Amino acid sequence: MVFSYAALRRFPDVEAPNLQAWDATDELLVQHALAAGVAGEEIAIVGDEYGAITLALADAGLAGLRVHQDLATGRRALARNAEALGLAGFRSHELEASLFEGARLVLLQLPKSLAELAEITDAVARWAAPEVTLIAGGRVKHMTLTQNEVLARSFEHVQPQRAERKSRLIVASSRREVSASPPFPVTARIEVPGRDELLTVVAHRGAFAGAKLDIGTRVLLEVLVAAGTGATVVDLGCGTGALAATYALTHPEARVIATDRSAAAVASARATMHANGAIVDVAHDDAGSEIPDQSVDLVLLNPPFHLGASIHTGAATRMFEAAARILKPGGQLLTVYNSHLAYKHELSRVVGASEQLHRTSKFTVTRSIRH
């Protein structure tokens, strides 16, 4: 019986008519894996957004599959889809040795970030079986020659395949020798508004902005010095944790929570807190789902406007709804966003009365009071 990809859902991620839980790349990766005849316990899967690869292989009878998904939403979608389809035979891992040890075949949905790709391919070359083959795939419109160059740093043979249904696979084999220590995470010392001392930022692979302070966060910090205080503060979508760490260090009396749906971001934020001696609770969570309702005084937010490779306003709206849920009545949400997105009306609708606090040529900072 042919596996039904159409039965898969993205939930709890955003769902819409133009968003689906699989694409042709997933199907091509599954076809190549089944043709390779490798046992399930010798297969590692990376970047399986909603479980399409893992569950199709499990449905084909493979067991012992190892899978790494960066996003909390992806992990929850995989678990829900597996339960709905009555499938098992896989185990989730972080991006570490246990994911790859003994793996002879690694299936990879290509990430957007070249840094993330570099960390993944180094990990495969570092920990997988000597004879490992890495099959990476993506939508042709998002693929670049630079991705081949990154793969070639860790593998001697990198062979792009013919495009099919607007997707393409790349087969990498003959792993190269790796450095004595992994190239990630990276560390930098940066200046941040509101703090005299430099802040140490630690960044793994795909963490947004890497070991730098992105412009939006800098603008929000400039406003935060004068505009925001609270006994319980949440950095919603914390990235490397620069915002939460700065707040915690400048407001030691506050309880600060940092959450992100990206495992790479969470690992980065935890390392950033440790490097600076900042006391912050860091959680791998989807839009603060584990934070109790009406328990927070202040939410800090630099929302995304992409869902994978798609631009979709639902990404920001989910964050606004999360902030509205966890804020106490009268609590504040400080949001920074690209000015052309004009989120003020949406913030007023979802959260409460909103005002512009600051505006630059690129970014706007608003304050919303929870009604």
Side-chain angles (χ1 to χ4, degrees):
M1 184 175 179
V2 177
F3 179 71
S4 176
Y5 290 95
L8 301 174
R9 292 187 58 191
R10 296 167 55 97
F11 187 83
D13 207 345
V14 176
E15 295 187 301
N18 64 326
L19 300 172
Q20 63 183 26
W22 87 102
D23 61 23
T25 309
D26 296 316
E27 298 183 58
L28 292 175
L29 287 168
V30 169
Q31 290 171 15
H32 276 67
L34 293 175
V38 177
E41 60 268 19
E42 296 178 321
I43 297 175
I45 303 160
V46 181
D48 189 5
E49 287 190 311
Y50 305 102
I53 303 167
T54 304
L55 296 179
L57 293 178
D59 185 66
L62 295 180
L65 299 162
R66 287 169 280 176
V67 58
H68 170 71
Q69 297 162 289
D70 182 60
L71 300 184
T73 45
R75 298 182 186 193
R76 294 177 184 181
L78 169 58
R80 288 172 181 269
N81 285 325
E83 182 179 5
L85 296 173
L87 293 171
F90 63 90
R91 178 173 294 180
S92 294
H93 292 257
E94 298 301 336
L95 191 74
E96 56 192 13
S98 65
L99 173 65
F100 298 113
E101 287 173 343
R104 295 175 50 231
L105 178 64
V106 175
L107 306 175
L108 169 65
Q109 267 275 11
L110 284 165
K112 290 191 300 179
S113 162
L114 291 175
E116 184 173 3
L117 178 60
E119 185 167 16
I120 293 168
T121 54
D122 176 85
V124 175
R126 186 173 300 278
W127 292 314
E131 69 275 19
V132 66
T133 297
L134 168 64
I135 304 180
R139 302 296 278 172
V140 172
K141 64 182 178 180
H142 301 306
M143 298 176 74
T144 67
L145 291 176
T146 309
Q147 291 172 326
N148 296 355
E149 296 170 5
V150 172
L151 287 165
R153 296 175 197 166
S154 297
F155 294 89
E156 293 183 12
H157 304 302
V158 177
Q159 183 61 54
Q161 306 298 294
R162 179 178 298 178
E164 297 182 50
R165 290 178 288 165
K166 299 182 180 180
S167 290
R168 187 191 303 278
L169 301 184
I170 306 171
V171 179
S173 58
S174 300
R175 70 180 197 180
R176 297 182 184 274
E177 291 296 318
V178 296
S179 60
S181 58
F184 292 88
V186 297
T187 301
R189 299 270 289 165
I190 62 174
E191 294 182 358
V192 294
R195 180 172 160 81
D196 294 332
E197 298 178 39
L198 296 177
L199 185 76
T200 300
V201 176
V202 184
H204 282 270
R205 57 193 195 281
F208 178 67
K212 300 178 181 178
L213 191 66
D214 76 278
I215 302 174
T217 297
R218 182 176 295 278
V219 172
L220 181 54
L221 277 170
E222 290 172 353
V223 174
L224 185 60
V225 172
T229 58
T232 303
V233 180
V234 172
D235 180 0
L236 201 57
C238 64
T240 59
L243 185 58
T246 302
Y247 192 93
L249 291 168
T250 53
H251 299 79
E253 75 287 351
R255 182 195 177 198
V256 182
I257 302 167
T259 80
D260 204 292
R261 67 176 189 154
S262 163
V266 167
S268 302
R270 286 175 176 157
T272 294
M273 303 312 160
H274 179 75
N276 294 281
I279 300 175
V280 176
D281 297 326
V282 183
H284 188 208
D285 190 14
D286 172 30
S289 68
E290 297 178 359
I291 299 173
D293 294 0
Q294 298 186 19
S295 63
V296 175
D297 301 293
L298 173 65
V299 173
L300 309 176
L301 177 60
N302 183 355
F305 59 94
H306 283 84
L307 287 172
S310 303
I311 295 177
H312 198 283
T313 56
T317 298
R318 287 187 80 241
M319 302 295 271
F320 300 160
E321 291 171 346
R325 180 185 63 78
I326 65 177
L327 277 170
K328 298 175 182 177
Q332 298 183 76
L333 166 63
L334 297 185
T335 309
V336 61
Y337 52 88
N338 293 81
S339 296
H340 72 274
L341 294 172
Y343 281 148
K344 185 180 173 183
H345 175 75
E346 182 77 349
L347 285 162
S348 296
R349 182 185 70 82
V350 174
V351 183
S354 301
E355 61 175 330
Q356 178 179 302
L357 297 181
H358 185 59
R359 186 183 179 96
T360 70
S361 59
K362 293 184 178 180
F363 292 95
T364 296
V365 178
T366 57
R367 173 166 50 200
S368 305
I369 307 299
R370 177 70 168 90
H371 49 61

